[in-house]
Amino acid sequence: MVSTPEKPYEKIDFSDMTKSNLNLLSQGGWIAMIQHYFAGAWIPDQNVESHYYTKALVNERYVIGMLTPAKSVDPGARETFELGLYVGPKVQSRMQGVAPNLERTVDFGWLWLIAEPLFWLLDWIHGFVGNWGWSIIILTLMIKLAFFHLSATSYKSMARMRKVQPRIVAIRERYGKDKQRMNQAMMELYKKEKINPLGGCFPILVQIPVFIALYWVLLESVELRQASFIFWLNDLSVHDPFFVLPVLMGATMLVQQKLNPPPPDPMQAKIMMALPFVFTFFFLFFPSGLVLYWFVNNLLSIAQQWVITRKIVGHV
């Protein structure tokens, strides 16, 4: 990564270094080599113009470096060259006082504007709770409460769709391959029952950026490294060694599928039923802190959707 006053940070992949070396002059800024949770950054005097560069060597070795302005020293005189170096974990609170924008080495992705307040809130909760696992659970609950009414709108729409599902199936069977007549009958049914087929989608779409941002917060935060939660979960930055959390998360996804109105198309229904198993497989090796968030969020969603569906449909 390289940072200048004009561009707070730019990430340069090793593959990009093999194509073109960095050759940049800038007053202030810094240049850093980063790993997932750690960074090493050279930080020059912010009042002088420095030359930042990269080099791709043989055998997949890469170099980053910087040149500060030359100084002339008279015989017998003395001169001091000052250069800052940060080597360590990417703890934002520490980095903020070292150099401008150095905390941006914690890469929250393109949704960093949402992710940074979420991390601040998670860190603030941890200041009271003292445990990152419980902090994740409390933050998930707070986000769920913030989107309570949006989620309720979506679940109400799904419940109404579930209520008329037998009539939708009957319409499909009645008109068979006559798509025009079938669509007309479906629209009349939706109009009569005051149902918007897309009513369950928009509230969910609004929440997606927040969920993605929190995903990056939990994936990138070094604070979760070697952070113990309960029982066998003694490092929230690595996968559950016994795969209990991913399996429980997959089970909650399966319950959610049962609460949703089944797709009228048989092939689509099979695909939707397979998704919990696919997600469970992917989440087996995800950081347990991230899986914990997903599991708790699913539990809260199931509780809310179950109450709303039971109220509208009369049974679940």
Side-chain angles (χ1 to χ4, degrees):
M1 276 188 172
V2 62
S3 174
T4 63
E6 294 76 24
K7 197 169 187 179
Y9 88 103
E10 178 184 3
K11 182 184 283 187
I12 304 170
D13 293 331
F14 290 145
S15 59
D16 294 331
M17 291 186 192
T18 60
K19 299 173 185 176
S20 175
N21 288 323
L22 176 69
N23 186 13
L24 177 66
L25 287 173
S26 174
Q27 180 173 324
W30 45 263
I31 190 166
M33 190 79 81
I34 64 169
Q35 294 177 325
H36 188 181
Y37 291 128
F38 299 91
W42 288 113
I43 307 158
D45 185 340
Q46 300 296 293
N47 297 314
V48 301
E49 188 177 63
S50 301
H51 173 220
Y52 300 107
Y53 65 88
T54 63
K55 288 182 180 180
L57 306 180
V58 295
N59 299 325
E60 296 186 346
R61 292 184 300 152
Y62 303 90
V63 172
I64 63 169
M66 53 174 293
L67 295 171
T68 55
K71 291 184 179 181
S72 298
V73 185
D74 294 330
R78 180 177 294 181
E79 186 65 59
T80 301
F81 292 82
E82 294 185 0
L83 187 63
L85 173 65
Y86 180 93
V87 179
K90 294 191 285 187
V91 179
Q92 296 183 63
S93 58
R94 295 182 190 173
M95 290 179 147
Q96 287 171 351
V98 176
N101 299 308
L102 188 60
E103 70 277 4
R104 297 290 292 275
T105 54
V106 182
D107 189 4
F108 288 145
W110 58 279
L111 288 171
W112 62 270
L113 200 61
I114 302 175
E116 287 187 357
L118 287 176
F119 173 79
W120 178 89
L121 185 56
L122 179 65
D123 191 39
W124 181 79
I125 295 170
H126 179 261
F128 289 95
V129 179
N131 181 286
W132 287 104
W134 291 112
S135 300
I136 291 171
I137 292 174
I138 294 171
L139 178 61
T140 306
L141 177 60
M142 293 173 70
I143 293 174
K144 200 65 184 173
L145 288 173
F147 288 113
F148 181 85
H149 291 293
L150 272 177
S151 298
T153 301
S154 176
Y155 296 146
K156 286 176 183 177
S157 178
M158 291 180 184
R160 293 190 185 103
M161 287 290 292
R162 177 170 177 153
K163 188 175 183 179
V164 300
Q165 192 66 29
R167 295 162 68 182
I168 293 176
V169 173
I171 289 173
R172 285 181 172 273
E173 291 176 349
R174 181 185 305 172
Y175 295 106
K177 296 182 180 180
D178 190 345
K179 297 289 184 181
Q180 186 175 354
R181 291 289 302 277
M182 182 177 66
N183 291 336
Q184 183 179 356
M186 297 271 277
M187 293 306 295
E188 288 175 358
L189 174 63
Y190 292 150
K191 187 177 181 180
K192 181 180 178 181
E193 298 294 333
K194 298 179 180 180
I195 296 175
N196 181 359
L198 301 178
C201 299
F202 179 73
I204 294 176
L205 289 175
V206 173
Q207 302 174 55
I208 286 177
V210 176
F211 294 146
I212 295 175
L214 186 56
Y215 164 87
W216 283 109
V217 166
L218 298 177
L219 194 64
E220 287 292 316
S221 298
V222 68
E223 286 79 1
L224 298 185
R225 183 174 181 267
Q226 298 177 352
S228 181
F229 178 37
I230 56 173
F231 306 128
W232 68 94
L233 297 173
N234 52 22
D235 189 344
L236 292 173
S237 69
V238 301
H239 68 84
D240 183 339
F242 301 110
F243 306 112
V244 174
L245 265 182
V247 171
L248 289 176
M249 188 275 301
T252 57
M253 288 191 69
L254 198 60
V255 173
Q256 281 185 300
Q257 290 284 7
K258 295 292 185 180
L259 288 174
N260 294 336
D265 181 64
M267 181 57 68
Q268 187 180 359
K270 290 180 180 179
I271 293 173
M272 295 301 292
M273 287 304 296
L275 283 180
F277 301 98
V278 174
F279 271 82
T280 300
F281 175 78
F282 282 130
F283 273 69
L284 287 177
F285 297 97
F286 271 39
S288 52
L290 183 61
V291 183
L292 175 64
Y293 149 69
W294 210 271
F295 170 64
V296 173
N297 182 69
N298 285 355
L299 282 181
L300 296 172
S301 298
I302 288 170
Q304 185 181 14
Q305 188 173 1
W306 186 84
V307 171
I308 290 174
T309 303
R310 187 174 179 85
K311 184 177 180 181
I312 292 176
V313 180
H315 61 88
V316 179

